[in-house]
Amino acid sequence: MTLPVAVTGVGSVTPLGVGAAVLASRLVAGETALVGGDGRCVEFDAGEFLTRRESRRNARFAQLALVAADEAVHQAGWSNGLPYPPEEILCIVGTGLGGAPESPQGTDATPLTVPLMMANSAAASLCTRYGIRGESFATSGACAAGAQAIGVAMGAIRRGEAAAAVVGGAEAASVPLICESFAQAGALSPTGRCVPFGADRDGFVMGEGAGILVLESVAGARARGAEILGLVMGYGASSDAHHVTAPSPDGVPAAQAMRRALADAGVAPEDLCYINTHGTGTPLNDEAEIRSLRLALGDALASIPLSSTKAATGHLFGAGGAVESIITLAALRGGTAPPTYGLSEPDRRLGELDHVLSARALKPGPSGVIGLSDSLGFGGHNSVLVLGAP
């Protein structure tokens, strides 16, 4: 087993509100932020957190990342300066679509159009804000991008290539061009409801948001007296090599990523006490995901509580893996799993599963309080994280 990496700060902006604590508490309370078939961050006003210049020079997805990062950096105790040499800190912010334009018309272009659209602009802005001079870039594995960022940073810290990292994902793609494309592809819910694993599920609902985490070695965090909020224990990834949007129907590649994450963490399926699923609410995706989980976890799957929080936040695409990692860490730390909002009649064709229908206390497994969060992106990008309580 390789060493886990410490999480010392988390921050989020989601349709459920500004702040990671707000996100966790509203999820456990069984609330949803989806209104009229859309999940917007209506409580977020960039002007309350950013200067006029910062707002103008950052697309909405990067604005969300900046505010989430401020929360995470403050919680980690970095507010008065970086605790490590700036060149030894990574900054990786995943996104699927970057600064998606409200209008695709060329006549709307300005000198800032391209910088605002660039997928790496959120990471670049975070580096400028905090003086981070280590490597920075954007992972862009669609819906798996946020989880990819965490996994890549964890590996670099373990190998001693970085002392710490500011990582996560951000997305603000709920714009007409993107929504119409997903609608034409048959992925959006025509009823405006997102009911992952439900017998009557009919698609996902768009959302937007950002999740940022501060990662550092356990030894480094302890040496400076930082509170450890949780652990990133393992990471696994794979590619379907199947289709630009549809998952591999046999579930084998995603299952491989799950097995790799467990092996990397040095834990068995029976050690898991919670699974935060990708759970988009599309018939095809839910079926393939459960097939993958069953292949990877075997008979243990039936007794592991699982839920999808996309029913409450919407599908956050590139931000999803990071936000859902923060949700999973909160569930493990607080000992309570959030429910799949609106799920009352699970699809029996998916087999025996332990759906969390209302907030439920988690029971530690043989190796402690450990959870799994999987992110399965368009294009067949599979990224899986094994997380632990502090």
Side-chain angles (χ1 to χ4, degrees):
M1 181 180 73
T2 49
L3 291 174
V5 169
V7 179
T8 56
V10 295
S12 71
V13 181
T14 71
L16 284 166
V18 179
V22 172
L23 170 66
S25 64
R26 292 192 67 184
L27 284 170
V28 169
E31 299 181 39
T32 183
L34 304 187
V35 178
D38 197 10
R40 298 257 184 167
C41 297
V42 295
E43 297 179 16
F44 173 77
D45 180 355
E48 293 183 13
F49 305 95
L50 306 173
T51 66
R52 183 178 178 183
R53 178 184 175 87
E54 288 171 331
S55 295
R56 189 170 63 87
R57 291 180 175 270
N58 286 280
R60 185 169 173 83
F61 91 107
Q63 294 174 1
L64 297 169
L66 282 165
V67 174
D70 272 351
E71 180 186 9
V73 166
H74 176 77
Q75 187 176 40
W78 291 20
S79 297
N80 295 322
L82 302 176
Y84 303 100
E87 63 273 12
E88 295 181 12
I89 302 174
L90 294 177
C91 184
I92 312 172
V93 182
T95 186
L97 295 161
E102 287 284 345
S103 170
Q105 300 301 317
T107 54
D108 297 325
T110 74
L112 288 173
T113 297
V114 171
L116 290 172
M117 289 178 61
M118 292 191 308
N120 65 301
S121 63
S125 289
L126 264 59
C127 284
T128 301
R129 192 176 188 85
Y130 306 116
I132 295 171
R133 294 186 176 179
E135 186 175 15
S136 65
F137 56 92
T139 47
S140 195
C143 320
Q148 288 177 328
I150 296 169
V152 170
M154 178 192 70
I157 294 171
R158 278 178 170 176
R159 295 188 297 271
E161 297 168 3
V166 177
V167 299
E171 202 80 81
S174 190
V175 299
L177 178 69
I178 307 303
C179 290
E180 178 59 25
S181 176
F182 280 132
Q184 290 187 19
L188 285 187
S189 165
T191 62
R193 297 172 62 247
C194 178
V195 190
F197 312 120
D200 60 347
R201 67 190 185 280
D202 62 1
F204 64 73
V205 171
M206 298 283 289
E208 63 176 2
I212 300 293
L213 303 85
V214 173
L215 308 181
E216 49 194 300
S217 70
V218 172
R222 287 175 176 166
R224 67 183 189 85
E227 179 185 4
I228 296 177
L229 305 176
L231 302 170
V232 183
M233 301 176 64
Y235 176 64
S238 67
S239 297
D240 283 355
H242 172 68
H243 190 269
V244 70
T245 56
S248 178
D250 61 13
V252 171
Q256 183 182 48
M258 295 168 187
R259 292 193 191 101
R260 286 174 173 170
L262 292 171
D264 189 37
V267 301
E270 293 76 16
D271 291 315
L272 298 176
C273 65
Y274 174 61
I275 300 171
N276 186 283
T277 66
H278 187 59
T280 62
T282 63
L284 195 63
N285 182 277
D286 288 3
E287 290 171 10
E289 180 179 10
I290 295 302
R291 188 171 294 116
S292 298
L293 285 165
R294 189 158 277 118
L295 285 171
L297 306 181
D299 293 340
L301 176 62
S303 59
I304 304 172
L306 60 82
S307 64
S308 169
T309 45
K310 288 183 174 67
T313 65
H315 196 340
L316 305 185
F317 300 103
V323 169
E324 289 161 17
S325 293
I326 292 171
I327 292 168
T328 304
L329 286 167
L332 300 176
R333 188 169 62 252
T336 305
T340 301
Y341 178 85
L343 179 61
S344 59
E345 186 181 348
D347 187 347
R348 296 182 182 276
R349 294 173 298 179
L350 297 177
E352 186 179 356
L353 298 167
D354 187 8
H355 293 288
V356 180
L357 303 182
S358 59
R360 185 196 306 179
L362 294 175
K363 298 178 181 179
S367 299
V369 186
I370 300 172
L372 180 145
S373 179
D374 66 299
S375 299
L376 314 176
F378 282 164
H381 307 287
N382 307 308
S383 295
V384 182
L385 293 161
V386 173
L387 306 163

